[in-house]
Amino acid sequence: MEMEILKNFSTISLALFLFTSSALFSLTSGEIQSHQFVIRATPVKRLCKTHNSITVNGMFPGPTLEVRNGDSLQVQVVNKARYNVTIHWHGVRQMRSGWADGPEFVTQCPIRPGGSYTYRFTIQGQEGTLWWHAHSSWLRATVYGALIIRPRLGQSYPFPKPDRETPILLGEWWDANPIDVMMEATRTGAAPNVSDAYTINSQPGDLYNCSTQDTTIVTVDSGKTNLLRVINAALNQPLFFAVANHKLTVVGADASYTRPFTTSVLMLGPGQTTDVLIKADQSPASYYMAARAYQSFQNAAFDNTTTTAILEYKSAKKGNALNPIMPSLPAYNDTNTVTAFTRSFRSPRKVQVPTDIDEILFFTVGLGLNNCPPNFNKTSCQGPNGTRFTASMNNVSFVLPRNFSLLQAHQQGIPGVFTTDFPGSPPVKFDYTGNVSRSLYQPITGTKLYKLKFGSRVQVVIQDTSIVGPESHPIHLHGYDFYIIAEGFGNFDPKKDTSRFNLVDPPLRNTVSVPSNGWAVIRFVADNPGVWLMHCHLDVHINWGLAMSFLVENGVGELQSLPPPPPDFPVC
């Protein structure tokens, strides 16, 4: 079942530099699209029960936005829910429009109940599949939708035009209020309850109770090619995805084209997108699309269920359509399949990877355990051995401010909100993937940023640790794409691992799945002034503090500087 597409409220030709509020829309041949997102509680029935879920425009998943490279968006978000909310446009570069990026208390204060805010930004040089989602508490469990970016008018895909396109949003469903699930975990210090189902376009599918009649159906014509725009919108779980008896040709990821390669299974970390071509070249029948967990953290509870949708040939005889064929999915802990898939990604051609690096950074990422504070009772310390879970980067557990956003504090010179002493390397060097001393399990807390000069060329080694346990972390950087030039297992060794750097055709992404008990190396040029969050896209981990922010200074002149905030900017 194809998702309802949100039609443009208005379309206006853009031929001049336009200053709308104070957000700059650059000169393009694109259009300005205006939309309204109304955030409100909506009755949603799944797994036999109805919940008042937070949605956009009463839709779950939310509306799909369809734009072209060069178009500008104005999205008025009206908050009629009982929670604070912000919307993040995941993967959009937001060149000089950081006020529209969306992470709560990073680039803006939240939109309070009864309030509104208009996000204004331009799509520049990006094509493919992105998405949008709430970036406040755990609201993104139900507040999310696809953002499809097509080529400019007169231009085409770098692959044969598909006969049909279908967004496939993989989600995670709790048979409870997800905000309550998060708040209970915060109260107890323990890990949150795992989800009760995964979903495809918000539907759990045939393998769950009370779900069969609403299973998502994607219809295809024999011999035709469909472009599936697959998005992992799950809150806390990397997912495998496959279609029974069909090969998938990967042609894009995170709104960047890739060198095409064929696979029988995808793995997407939360936040990642993958565009695949699928040809209806099998016997006319029904075939399951299915997704289930990739779980790299050993001995941890996880949702071990499988969500399904149906790929249905229009010419299938009724008998053949009744019993869909199930695909073969990897085992939940099949890291070898994940590694082979991830290493298949390449840019379509030789690219300009940053060299002559100005900033060589090394960030450890992982969990931690805080000792129970003296004034807490045991019910508030239900982590392992009477502790409270935490997480950190370079031993700093990130704390968001509450009275100002970081970008506002930076732009207005407000003191006392943050410091710029985030460490560029681990304060203590240790065997990151070995047996780690318990003395390193308890990080410090702070609102620490790392300052970058405009135009600086940056390399970051992101190193997983075995503190509490190794795990694959999907690390997302706001406001930037980056080249993933290498990844590997064990501890990164600059003496031998630099020889593995791909400086010819590495993939361009906005979210990197750092291997469990391993590392990844990314490079980017700091050409976008503002404050940009870098965090694990497992929402439980960002709640625990697995995040930091870059402060990219203004360059020279107006075109290298952040404009002032728009007049309707929310106040804290």
Side-chain angles (χ1 to χ4, degrees), residues 143-264:
V143 178
Y144 62 85
L147 173 56
I148 295 170
I149 309 170
R150 295 201 170 85
R152 295 176 185 270
L153 282 172
Q155 299 184 3
S156 59
Y157 297 128
F159 47 82
K161 184 179 179 181
D163 300 289
R164 181 176 293 197
E165 300 182 12
T166 308
I168 300 291
L169 292 100
L170 309 178
E172 207 168 357
W173 177 262
W174 277 261
D175 200 11
N177 181 345
I179 306 297
D180 293 343
V181 174
M182 184 211 71
M183 291 178 67
E184 175 69 4
T186 301
R187 184 187 68 79
T188 64
N193 290 341
V194 300
S195 56
D196 296 288
Y198 301 115
T199 59
I200 297 177
N201 293 351
S202 88
Q203 295 295 340
D206 290 353
L207 305 185
Y208 298 90
N209 291 337
C210 306
S211 301
T212 299
Q213 67 181 20
D214 295 312
T215 294
T216 296
I217 298 174
V218 177
T219 57
V220 293
D221 293 299
S222 289
K224 301 294 186 180
T225 298
N226 197 334
L227 173 62
L228 302 183
R229 299 177 178 273
V230 187
I231 300 166
N232 186 351
L235 215 63
N236 294 315
Q237 193 64 58
L239 293 168
F240 289 114
F241 174 84
V243 182
N245 291 12
H246 289 74
K247 294 290 187 181
L248 306 172
T249 301
V250 176
V251 293
D254 292 0
S256 291
Y257 295 119
T258 63
R259 181 183 301 170
F261 68 93
T262 300
T263 179
S264 59

Side-chain angles (χ1 to χ4, degrees), residues 77-405:
V77 176
V78 180
N79 187 4
K80 293 187 176 180
R82 60 190 176 106
Y83 303 107
N84 293 338
V85 71
T86 66
I87 299 293
H88 170 53
W89 315 93
H90 185 110
V92 174
R93 282 295 317 270
Q94 297 288 4
M95 297 300 292
R96 299 182 58 246
S97 55
W99 306 109
D101 188 43
E104 185 179 58
F105 295 113
V106 178
T107 60
Q108 70 168 96
C109 295
I111 306 167
R112 306 291 184 186
S116 68
Y117 176 51
T118 299
Y119 293 88
R120 300 175 174 90
F121 56 92
T122 299
I123 306 295
Q124 299 183 53
Q126 295 181 285
E127 295 178 12
T129 305
L130 296 176
W131 61 303
W132 57 265
H133 60 80
H135 213 298
S136 184
S137 184
W138 272 21
L139 286 180
R140 81 168 181 87
T142 53
V143 178
Y144 62 85
L147 173 56
I148 295 170
I149 309 170
R150 295 201 170 85
R152 295 176 185 270
L153 282 172
Q155 299 184 3
S156 59
Y157 297 128
F159 47 82
K161 184 179 179 181
D163 300 289
R164 181 176 293 197
E165 300 182 12
T166 308
I168 300 291
L169 292 100
L170 309 178
E172 207 168 357
W173 177 262
W174 277 261
D175 200 11
N177 181 345
I179 306 297
D180 293 343
V181 174
M182 184 211 71
M183 291 178 67
E184 175 69 4
T186 301
R187 184 187 68 79
T188 64
N193 290 341
V194 300
S195 56
D196 296 288
Y198 301 115
T199 59
I200 297 177
N201 293 351
S202 88
Q203 295 295 340
D206 290 353
L207 305 185
Y208 298 90
N209 291 337
C210 306
S211 301
T212 299
Q213 67 181 20
D214 295 312
T215 294
T216 296
I217 298 174
V218 177
T219 57
V220 293
D221 293 299
S222 289
K224 301 294 186 180
T225 298
N226 197 334
L227 173 62
L228 302 183
R229 299 177 178 273
V230 187
I231 300 166
N232 186 351
L235 215 63
N236 294 315
Q237 193 64 58
L239 293 168
F240 289 114
F241 174 84
V243 182
N245 291 12
H246 289 74
K247 294 290 187 181
L248 306 172
T249 301
V250 176
V251 293
D254 292 0
S256 291
Y257 295 119
T258 63
R259 181 183 301 170
F261 68 93
T262 300
T263 179
S264 59
V265 64
L266 311 179
M267 196 292 290
L268 297 88
Q272 293 184 317
T273 74
T274 306
D275 292 347
V276 298
L277 298 175
I278 178 170
K279 188 170 184 180
D281 57 3
Q282 298 298 302
S283 299
S286 291
Y287 301 85
Y288 275 129
M289 301 176 172
R292 74 177 181 205
Y294 166 53
Q295 177 68 12
S296 57
F297 196 119
Q298 296 182 11
N299 303 316
F302 70 99
D303 179 350
N304 197 19
T305 62
T306 302
T307 180
T308 57
I310 297 173
L311 185 79
E312 185 174 278
Y313 282 62
K314 290 182 180 178
S315 57
K317 295 178 181 178
K318 286 188 176 180
N320 292 342
L322 291 177
N323 298 301
I325 301 164
M326 180 64 77
S328 174
L329 285 163
Y332 72 88
N333 58 355
D334 188 350
T335 294
N336 288 338
T337 291
V338 173
T339 303
F341 175 70
T342 302
R343 291 182 178 175
S344 298
F345 283 86
R346 293 282 188 276
S347 286
R349 62 191 65 83
K350 180 175 169 52
V351 291
Q352 295 297 314
V353 182
T355 55
D356 301 321
I357 301 300
D358 302 301
E359 298 274 2
I360 298 179
L361 306 176
F362 190 107
F363 292 174
T364 56
V365 297
L367 304 186
L369 298 172
N370 281 331
N371 296 329
C372 194
N375 58 329
F376 279 42
N377 60 40
K378 289 184 178 180
T379 60
S380 297
C381 298
Q382 296 184 37
N385 301 313
T387 59
R388 290 179 61 86
F389 272 107
T390 185
S392 67
M393 298 178 71
N394 275 356
N395 201 46
V396 180
S397 188
F398 194 66
V399 178
L400 290 169
R402 281 293 178 263
N403 296 321
F404 300 95
S405 70

